[in-house]
Amino acid sequence: MDSQTSQSSQASQSPHTFQVDLRGLVDLLSHHLYSSPKVYLRELLQNAVDAITARRAEQPDAPARVRLYAEGGTLRVEDSGVGLTEADVHNLLATIGRSSKRADPGDIQEARSEFLGQFGIGLLACFVVAERIRVVSRSARTPDAPPVEWTAADDGSYTVRTLPDDARTEPGTTVHLVARPGAGEWLTEERVLALARDFGSLLPYDVRVGDEAVTDLPAPWNRPYPSPATRRVALQRHCHDLFGFSPLDSIDLDVPLAGIRGVAYVLPSSVSPAQRASHRVHLKGMLLTERAEQLLPDWAFFVRCVLDTDSLRPTASREALYEDETLAAVREALGERIRSWLTGLAAGDPERLSAFLSVHHLGVKSLARHDKEMLRTMLPWLPFETTDGQLSLEEFAQRHPVVHFTRSVEEYRQVAPIASAQGVGVVNGGYTYDSELIEALPSVRPGTVVAELDADTVTAHLDAVAPAEELALAAFLGAARAKLDPLGCDVVLRAFHPLSVPALHLDDRAARHEQARAEAEERADDLWAGILGSLRGSAPRARLVLNHLNPLIRRISSLDDPELIGTATESLYGQALLMAQRPLRPADSALLNRAFIGLLEWATHSDPTEPTEDGRR
């Protein structure tokens, strides 16, 4: 019994082989691994180029040719590479996931530096557009071996047979594809030529579609030119052909240690920092992707790159870069090249730098946040909105002993006219990165005093009204304060310039937080209202600063009618909000409407205390 149990257990644990549904795998490749059927041609070119590379490693003088012929829904690809024997065919072509480029663990870096393909998927990608693949090959390593033919269908079946010696006399491989129904357009000569040029323009071997050359070497950034101006024009033309725009400038990207050579083109118009930049990356001459997103630091969103590399790792689909330490090091090195270009412009070409910053100052500000040396270099050039106009922080700090700034555009709009009239310089820190750079100013410009401008600071710079005059207006101020108290706003009397401004609405973040808390408390149930009430602190409230020098304020302050004073106060409050370009709450909109109707009734000499036709007051 024990023996039978043991035998049964051993039988149940015997290994089994995975069964692969080739049609299902092809569907997986076409819909999930590859972004487009066009990658089939890249796989064919990669196999051909790798075969030539392998042959030349042993026979340096061997021919290096790839020829593609498309006609009538078929494609033939011939290469002068290392070729295959019958054993190679069984071992490599018929085993999914097996790669001729595999190396021992100790030699994997050597393998990666020599070959384009890494994953052994190879010809399988051709089933995305073809229903049948036929390969005829003759080995250069085993010259006496006869040519061999491998024919495979998309149902997973294949046949292998040897051919007469005259079937192929020279070493190399020929791949024949027959288009599957509905995929014939991918095998037309026009489409094959376009794809071959897109993928293989930088390949190191002679590649042709029919009689049309595919490769275009050396790369535009590596070619000799009669003069720098000629080179600049040629690169501009290359950028326009590749990306569809004429660049402001071009930046050489040469990182020999990482095996990288290319160029970055500066966009001629501004873009959002949140927009992902797409770059073209070639791997040993073959186009890997035209949508590489992690190639540069996030701050360098103002350039588009095209480069060739032999060190970066592709993902399994060979359509993106693998995120690893090498890519991180390359990203840092390329960022340093762009940083050096900016520093060079600042030192020797201020006109080009100004033209660049007029479009892309946001990218440089993003870089300067984390790079004190870049902030120090760019201080005389980066533009900021100030009460003195568009100035650099360097120039503004030279004019003002204290660099006051606001954290939001709304706060700046509130205080800028008044602060300027009082001689207080203010920088608008409400735009992206600006407040961070202003606060970092003392670290690169020792002795500079930076202070956030709040409502108390502004009020302190306004002239106080004589106590006797303010006392005489106590009744008016009391009525005005009572009217605005439900809105969480105090009323203050000051004298300031310009005289044309009757009232100024001032608040800060603390006041807005307190206002939001009070509104939430009103809407909350008893439990939540109690919690919010316990959070009530001594935060300052918003304030409406009335200008005692303004003629309109003087006339309003002389009124005796409390209702009319209230209506006038609401009108001043609403006008001050609109002047500050602050978003209006529902209560503010209702107040503006009520004040407008009240003023109309007063202007037409109606008694606003009498009921209207619908019974309202």
Side-chain angles (χ1 to χ4, degrees):
M1 185 68 177
D2 292 340
S3 175
Q4 292 178 352
T5 302
S6 175
Q7 292 176 0
S8 175
S9 176
Q10 290 176 0
S12 64
Q13 294 179 8
S14 61
H16 299 276
T17 302
F18 282 106
Q19 301 300 311
V20 177
D21 180 354
L22 187 59
R23 285 181 175 171
L25 187 56
V26 169
D27 181 72
L28 180 66
L29 291 176
S30 60
H31 290 94
H32 299 284
L33 183 62
Y34 295 129
S35 62
S36 167
K38 68 181 182 180
V39 297
Y40 87 92
L41 193 68
R42 184 194 62 201
E43 294 292 341
L44 290 172
L45 287 176
Q46 284 183 345
N47 287 340
V49 169
D50 285 342
I52 294 172
T53 301
R55 183 179 181 186
R56 283 203 152 190
E58 301 173 7
Q59 305 172 18
D61 296 331
R65 298 186 305 269
V66 180
R67 297 291 184 266
L68 297 92
Y69 304 95
E71 182 180 3
T74 64
L75 176 65
R76 185 172 85 255
V77 181
E78 300 177 353
D79 69 65
S80 58
V82 69
L84 302 171
T85 64
E86 183 178 1
D88 293 333
V89 167
H90 284 288
N91 190 39
L92 300 175
L93 297 187
T95 305
I96 295 172
R98 182 74 59 83
S99 174
S100 61
K101 278 79 73 174
R102 293 286 173 86
D104 293 331
D107 299 329
I108 193 167
Q109 292 300 327
E110 179 182 354
R112 281 181 178 156
S113 66
E114 296 296 329
F115 298 107
L116 298 172
Q118 302 295 325
F119 297 94
I121 296 174
L123 287 176
L124 194 61
C126 294
F127 281 121
V128 174
V129 297
E131 65 179 359
R132 185 161 54 88
I133 302 173
R134 176 171 168 259
V135 177
V136 177
S137 186
R138 182 160 195 157
S139 175
R141 290 173 175 162
T142 313
D144 296 336
V148 61
E149 177 190 71
W150 177 80
T151 304
D154 61 0
D155 61 2
S157 63
Y158 71 93
T159 60
V160 178
R161 65 186 180 117
T162 57
L163 301 177
D165 283 346
D166 59 357
R168 184 179 179 101
T169 58
E170 296 295 326
T173 300
T174 302
V175 179
H176 302 263
L177 300 185
V178 177
R180 65 171 54 252
E185 61 170 312
W186 292 104
L187 271 63
T188 62
E189 183 176 20
E190 182 180 5
R191 178 62 68 91
V192 169
L193 177 60
L195 292 178
R197 283 177 171 168
D198 193 36
F199 284 121
S201 62
L202 301 184
L203 289 174
Y205 304 135
D206 179 17
V207 182
R208 296 176 182 271
V209 176
D211 296 327
E212 297 288 336
V214 169
T215 52
D216 186 19
L217 295 175
W221 52 84
N222 283 333
R223 295 172 189 169
Y225 295 97
S227 66
T230 305
R231 185 177 190 271
R232 187 177 299 115
V233 171
L235 290 180
Q236 286 180 340
R237 183 166 54 249
H238 176 249
C239 177
H240 190 274
D241 293 341
L242 206 60
F243 294 114
F245 65 84
S246 297
L248 284 178
D249 207 347
S250 57
I251 308 168
D252 284 325
L253 302 178
D254 188 6
V255 188
L257 292 179
I260 285 178
R261 187 78 172 93
V263 63
Y265 293 116
V266 181
L267 292 166
S269 56
S270 59
V271 294
S272 167
Q275 180 179 332
R276 284 289 185 180
S278 296
H279 310 289
R280 288 178 64 94
V281 178
H282 295 255
L283 180 62
K284 306 177 188 68
M286 180 73 72
L287 178 65
L288 177 69
T289 178
E290 53 191 355
R291 295 188 300 274
E293 296 182 347
Q294 305 298 332
L295 189 63
L296 296 180
D298 290 340
W299 55 261
F301 53 82
F302 50 83
V303 299
R304 296 292 180 268
C305 297
V306 54
L307 54 83
D308 189 23
T309 176
D310 59 18
S311 64
L312 298 179
R313 289 175 57 195
T315 58
S317 66
R318 291 198 281 272
E319 294 186 282
L321 296 173
Y322 186 81
E323 185 67 46
D324 58 8
E325 293 180 358
T326 302
L327 180 57
V330 165
R331 185 185 302 121
E332 183 177 350
L334 295 180
E336 182 58 38
R337 293 293 182 273
I338 299 173
R339 184 186 290 106
S340 298
W341 171 77
L342 285 170
T343 304
L345 288 186
D349 201 338
E351 290 186 4
R352 284 172 67 197
L353 178 62
S354 296
F356 167 76
L357 289 178
S358 66
V359 179
H360 296 300
H361 58 274
L362 202 58
V364 180
K365 286 181 177 181
S366 176
L367 169 61
R369 289 183 305 154
H370 308 294
D371 189 326
K372 288 186 178 180
E373 191 58 40
M374 181 56 63
L375 177 58
R376 184 180 290 108
T377 301
M378 290 295 156
L379 266 182
W381 308 103
L382 288 174
F384 287 78
E385 182 181 357
T386 77
T387 49
D388 294 352
Q390 286 285 334
L391 293 178
S392 69
L393 287 181
E394 175 71 26
E395 186 175 357
F396 186 85
Q398 291 173 356
R399 295 186 183 187
H400 299 277
V402 179
V403 179
H404 287 104
F405 73 98
T406 63
R407 291 191 182 275
S408 72
V409 175
E410 290 79 9
E411 290 173 355
Y412 178 80
R413 288 169 178 167
Q414 288 181 72
V415 303
I418 309 304
S420 180
Q422 310 307 311
V424 179
V426 184
V427 183
N428 185 356
Y431 296 114
T432 306
Y433 311 132
D434 282 9
S435 62
E436 296 176 69
L437 295 177
I438 297 167
E439 290 180 303
L441 187 57
S443 67
V444 296
R445 196 178 189 274
T448 303
V449 179
V450 173
E452 184 176 352
L453 189 67
D454 55 22
D456 289 335
T457 305
V458 176
T459 306
H461 280 83
L462 306 180
D463 295 332
V465 178
E469 293 186 52
E470 187 165 358
L471 183 60
L473 299 176
F476 161 73
L477 292 174
R481 287 166 181 156
K483 197 67 177 178
L484 295 187
D485 183 69
L487 296 173
C489 183
D490 292 331
V491 177
V492 179
L493 188 65
R494 292 289 187 273
F496 56 88
H497 293 273
L499 300 180
S500 58
V501 177
L504 176 66
H505 182 270
L506 292 178
D507 65 358
D508 53 25
R509 283 175 298 162
R512 288 195 291 275
H513 290 164
E514 172 61 20
Q515 187 178 66
R517 186 208 59 77
E519 292 176 354
E521 183 180 356
E522 291 180 2
R523 297 192 301 267
D525 56 31
D526 292 342
L527 175 61
W528 187 236
I531 296 173
L532 292 172
S534 68
L535 298 177
R536 183 186 300 112
S538 58
R541 305 209 312 166
R543 65 197 69 176
L544 182 67
V545 184
L546 303 180
N547 188 359
H548 188 54
L549 301 180
N550 180 269
L552 177 61
I553 295 298
R554 287 183 174 273
R555 289 196 296 271
I556 292 175
S557 63
S558 65
L559 295 173
D560 296 325
D561 187 343
E563 287 290 333
L564 189 53
I565 290 174
T567 299
T569 302
E570 289 181 331
S571 300
L572 291 169
Y573 174 83
Q575 189 263 352
L577 284 180
L578 294 175
M579 290 298 294
Q581 301 184 41
R582 292 290 304 278
L584 299 180
R585 299 170 298 165
D588 297 329
S589 300
L591 175 145
L592 278 172
N593 182 64
R594 184 171 64 249
F596 179 71
I597 296 299
L599 288 177
L600 282 179
E601 291 177 343
W602 176 79
T604 55
H605 304 288
S606 296
D607 184 354
T609 64
E610 294 181 357
T612 58
E613 291 182 1
D614 59 1
R616 292 180 299 176
R617 292 183 180 276

